[in-house]
Amino acid sequence: MTAREAVIVWEHMSDPRVAEYFEFLRFPSISTDPERKGDVAACAAWLERKLTGMGLQTRVIPTAGHPIVLAKNAHKPGRRTVMIYGHYDVQPVDPVELWTSPPFEPRIEDGIVYARGSADNKGQIFAHIKGIEETLREKGDLPVNLVLLVEGEEEVGSAHLEEFLLAHREDLQCDVIAISDTGMIAPGVPTFTYGLRGIGALELKVTGPRGDLHSGIYGGVVANPATAVARLVASLHDDQGHVAVPGFYDDVASIADWERAAWAKLPFGDADILKVTGSPSLFGEAGYSSLERTWARPTAEVNGIGGGFQGVGTKTVLPREAFAKLTFRLVPHQQPDDVMEKVKAYLRAHCPPGVKLEISGGHAGEPYMMDPNSANGLAAQRALHRAFPGKELALIREGGSIPIVNTFKRVLGVETILLGLALPDCRAHAPNENFPLENFLGGIGLNRTLLEELAR
């Protein structure tokens, strides 16, 4: 580290906002790991102390899993009510040997914070918390009635959040929900995400003989489950990248002309995707650009596949079973249940002879879409322009899924605005997760302008 770099790091660390952010990051609040349950609870307790110290009415509410932190200001009649949602739990850190520094010891390099949770979602939700704190300190009140909901199970599918929403529906009534758990299309480009893909998950298990067999004695006589799985997986697409399941595209909404035109102008394209992913080339459904494929077209993906001998060297066996894990990203107006039934029927019809196919379901979530030019959408756009002056605004969809957004709409009857601050190379869910301090500090300003604009 040069002397100048050392001074920059010192200046950042002497900023109390950054120091608190680092304190938040040090909690190994991994919701999927039972051994970290105490750390998750400690993180929730830390948030309660922080929010109470800001003057908010705060509760830590137990669930059958990890607790939810709920905070409010004094609600006044005649004001709009805004919910801000985020999560304090984080992904596991494996493989830990690929981290360049310990994942729960945050460090700054070139103005970027490296730590698990730095972007997803501690950095983004804490930027909102600091924005709320600054407004309360300077003005004594917020321009809206606030509901701040920070959960501890987002990374395990928000298993108990819908139950919580139903039980506390009256207490959680609001006019709009804001979430910063998405991304910016490129550095310095304020981004409003108005659509998310849905998801459906399946797991295939193909079994054949009672046990592994000698491939020399029985190969060519008994069907090979690993070959059957490979054939099933390969049959999901044609050579142009289209999903081959009959009826898969029946309900897919067309991409609007204005979207095509807007996305084509964005400062993020094929070269950027190649750089971020490190892939040798791009491939996808013919007839669509990369961004169109990612944001507005459905996909079928293999997330895991295996069976048979996996050790060093050769073991000439015909395995007794093999498996594949599949997910399908869905777009408006596809319904997960309908699409999954079509996929199951297709897989059963194409299962090779001589093996037994079992299909088990996984989690599912509907796609989400809102009008970016609704009253709340326009308020969000104004807030972004104010928080990032002189910057061209990007209106995008995202390829990922946040199923809780549709749960909010179904249970509370309100739309959600998605204002992400993470960059495409933030490495969320991977080693060396990172978040620029510039975006953290910009998020503090965004919270302040957002609450002001939503109050109008």
Side-chain angles (χ1 to χ4, degrees), residues 11-176:
E11 288 175 346
H12 284 142
M13 289 304 300
S14 65
D15 185 329
R17 299 172 297 180
V18 176
E20 277 192 304
Y21 171 34
F22 276 31
E23 190 175 347
F24 191 24
L25 291 174
R26 290 190 182 102
F27 286 96
S29 49
I30 304 171
S31 54
T32 191
D33 185 351
E35 294 185 2
R36 294 295 190 181
K37 186 172 183 178
D39 295 310
V40 177
C43 190
W46 183 88
L47 271 177
E48 179 188 28
R49 293 191 297 273
K50 172 62 186 174
L51 297 171
T52 301
M54 289 164 45
L56 298 177
Q57 304 161 14
T58 310
R59 292 181 288 163
V60 174
I61 303 173
T63 73
H66 299 298
I68 289 171
V69 181
L70 186 67
K72 293 184 174 184
N73 63 341
H75 285 200
K76 298 178 181 179
R79 295 197 306 196
R80 299 193 78 208
T81 300
V82 177
M83 177 187 290
I84 296 176
Y85 164 86
H87 62 94
Y88 65 88
D89 65 319
V90 299
Q91 281 276 318
V93 297
D94 303 275
V96 69
E97 67 271 11
L98 297 183
W99 287 79
T100 57
S101 57
F104 294 108
E105 295 179 16
R107 67 179 176 90
I108 301 173
E109 182 178 329
D110 297 327
I112 297 174
V113 176
Y114 290 85
R116 173 57 87 226
S118 55
D120 182 20
N121 176 244
K122 288 182 176 179
Q124 300 195 64
I125 189 58
F126 200 62
H128 279 287
I129 290 170
K130 294 303 293 183
I132 293 164
E133 182 179 37
E134 288 186 0
T135 300
L136 287 171
R137 184 172 60 245
E138 292 178 15
K139 300 187 177 181
D141 198 3
L142 301 173
V144 298
N145 296 329
L146 174 73
V147 178
L148 180 65
L149 193 163
V150 192
E151 69 155 320
E153 294 188 315
E154 196 275 345
E155 299 293 6
V156 288
S158 300
H160 300 97
L161 187 55
E162 182 168 357
E163 177 185 334
F164 174 84
L165 296 177
L166 289 167
H168 298 82
R169 180 160 29 195
E170 295 304 315
D171 198 34
L172 298 173
Q173 288 300 310
C174 56
D175 297 295
V176 64

Side-chain angles (χ1 to χ4, degrees), residues 134-393:
E134 288 186 0
T135 300
L136 287 171
R137 184 172 60 245
E138 292 178 15
K139 300 187 177 181
D141 198 3
L142 301 173
V144 298
N145 296 329
L146 174 73
V147 178
L148 180 65
L149 193 163
V150 192
E151 69 155 320
E153 294 188 315
E154 196 275 345
E155 299 293 6
V156 288
S158 300
H160 300 97
L161 187 55
E162 182 168 357
E163 177 185 334
F164 174 84
L165 296 177
L166 289 167
H168 298 82
R169 180 160 29 195
E170 295 304 315
D171 198 34
L172 298 173
Q173 288 300 310
C174 56
D175 297 295
V176 64
I177 298 168
I179 298 177
S180 292
D181 197 12
T182 50
M184 298 174 75
I185 189 66
V189 180
T191 303
F192 178 16
T193 300
Y194 60 88
L196 298 164
R197 290 196 292 191
I199 191 170
L202 295 175
E203 182 168 349
L204 315 180
K205 182 181 178 182
V206 173
T207 56
R210 287 191 300 270
D212 290 356
L213 298 177
H214 190 296
S215 64
I217 298 174
Y218 295 101
V221 177
V222 175
N224 188 320
T227 302
V229 165
R231 289 177 62 183
L232 282 171
V233 166
S235 76
L236 285 171
H237 299 87
D238 64 20
D239 58 5
Q240 296 296 306
H242 301 100
V243 178
V245 175
F248 186 78
Y249 296 101
D250 283 355
D251 300 318
V252 172
S254 300
I255 305 171
D257 290 341
W258 74 264
E259 291 181 298
R260 288 184 185 274
W263 297 349
K265 297 177 182 176
L266 291 173
F268 189 84
D270 289 1
D272 302 286
I273 296 173
L274 288 171
K275 181 179 179 181
V276 169
T277 63
S279 299
S281 62
L282 299 181
F283 174 79
E285 184 185 6
Y288 297 91
S289 72
S290 296
L291 292 182
E292 289 168 357
R293 294 172 190 152
T294 305
W295 296 342
R297 298 297 294 173
T299 62
E301 298 296 344
V302 182
N303 306 128
I305 187 168
F309 178 62
Q310 305 290 323
V312 177
T314 300
K315 184 180 182 183
T316 54
V317 295
L318 190 156
R320 70 171 299 273
E321 65 181 27
F323 74 90
K325 295 176 181 289
L326 310 176
T327 51
F328 300 80
R329 296 290 174 168
L330 310 177
V331 300
H333 302 285
Q334 291 180 299
Q335 293 298 314
D337 289 345
D338 173 66
V339 175
M340 292 301 97
E341 286 306 313
K342 291 174 178 174
V343 172
K344 290 176 186 178
Y346 175 83
L347 292 169
R348 291 186 182 112
H350 287 75
C351 182
V355 295
K356 178 183 176 181
L357 172 65
E358 298 175 48
I359 304 175
S360 55
H363 64 290
E366 296 180 8
Y368 175 76
M369 190 87 153
M370 68 163 292
D371 180 4
N373 292 313
S374 67
N376 289 323
L378 291 174
Q381 292 184 52
R382 292 193 301 269
L384 284 167
H385 281 301
R386 289 178 56 194
F388 299 92
K391 303 290 187 178
E392 188 72 23
L393 179 64

